[in-house]
Amino acid sequence: MTQSGAGGGTTLTDVRLAPRPGGSPELGGVLGVPSREVHGDGPWPGVVVVHEAFGVDDVMRRQVQRLAEAGYLALMPDLFTAGGARKCLTATFRALAAGHGRAFEDVESARSQLLALDECTGRIGVIGFCMGGAFALQLAGSPAGRYDASSVNYGRLPSDDASLDALLAGACPVVASYGGRDASLRGAADRLERGLTHAGVPHDVREYPSAGHSFLNDAPNGPRLLRPVMQRVIGAGPEPEAAADAWARIEAFFDEHLGGGADLAPRTGQGGGRAHS
């Protein structure tokens, strides 16, 4: 177990998670704990963080830190524990497409570990980015009561509306953010908005015209040789203004549905629809 200060009194700790049958046998993860000076002694709500396709890098660790600074116990399982992205990425996407498999067992390990902590209120959310955003959407529709809120960030949707409707039936509340410059997910925000409305799920879906894929990241990531291509094709990379608004919406949504979050920055727009500015 490796522990380090993360600024603002929060701590980030590299942890081992109890494995589940069918999951990674030596599952690792990153746990972010709120500052007791800022947020008291708890208990705090928990948030499972599902990382991007590039794995647990410094950018993803800072997403865990950000959630801890907002007053949540944040735990990110390393879905590539068994061999890194090169060996695990294909299997992880296969599990995502199937809706079950090792990656889902690993995420469930993280949820169970949060629930077992004395500092946890018992209310659990999930947030995902890129590949993790697709997982967060799948998990929103997992058995009733498993998650209390889901934050879907530029996550791919099921390919047809019937599958989307089936996934969203009985889903927990969803806050979702997409980039208008992300050609790989063109129309996803509109489809998700319609699906959530049809399912009667409380939601806040927004598309940011100035943003592309991975706009919530605070720095470029992924292989350096691929970054210019990703920026050109899907607009990948930070967009600070859109990210600030999206984080304000996420925190406000989590505060409403999980409770016990931080003092939140004022929201810069109204939820429940796309942004057109």
Side-chain angles (χ1 to χ4, degrees), residues 26-59:
E26 296 183 0
L27 181 61
V30 180
L31 174 67
V33 178
S35 165
R36 295 182 184 274
E37 293 181 2
V38 176
H39 299 290
D41 291 330
W44 307 290
V47 177
V48 176
V49 185
V50 190
H51 57 70
E52 292 183 343
F54 299 127
V56 179
D57 58 12
D58 288 343
V59 172

Side-chain angles (χ1 to χ4, degrees), residues 102-198:
R102 185 184 66 202
F104 283 95
E105 297 301 332
D106 290 348
V107 172
E108 179 60 17
S109 291
R111 189 186 75 91
S112 297
Q113 188 140 327
L114 283 173
L115 285 172
L117 295 175
D118 291 339
E119 298 93 339
C120 184
T121 64
R123 296 190 68 80
I124 304 289
V126 59
I127 186 171
F129 307 89
C130 178
M131 176 191 77
F135 272 99
L137 183 62
Q138 290 271 357
L139 293 163
S142 61
R146 184 168 289 181
Y147 289 97
D148 297 292
S150 174
S151 175
V152 177
N153 299 293
Y154 26 91
R156 187 168 297 279
L157 310 184
S159 59
D160 61 89
D161 289 345
S163 297
L164 179 60
D165 288 344
L167 175 63
L168 296 178
C172 69
V174 172
V175 55
S177 300
Y178 288 84
R181 295 178 56 233
D182 185 353
S184 69
L185 293 170
R186 188 166 288 125
D190 276 340
R191 281 189 65 215
L192 184 55
E193 169 78 27
R194 290 195 303 270
L196 290 165
T197 299
H198 181 260

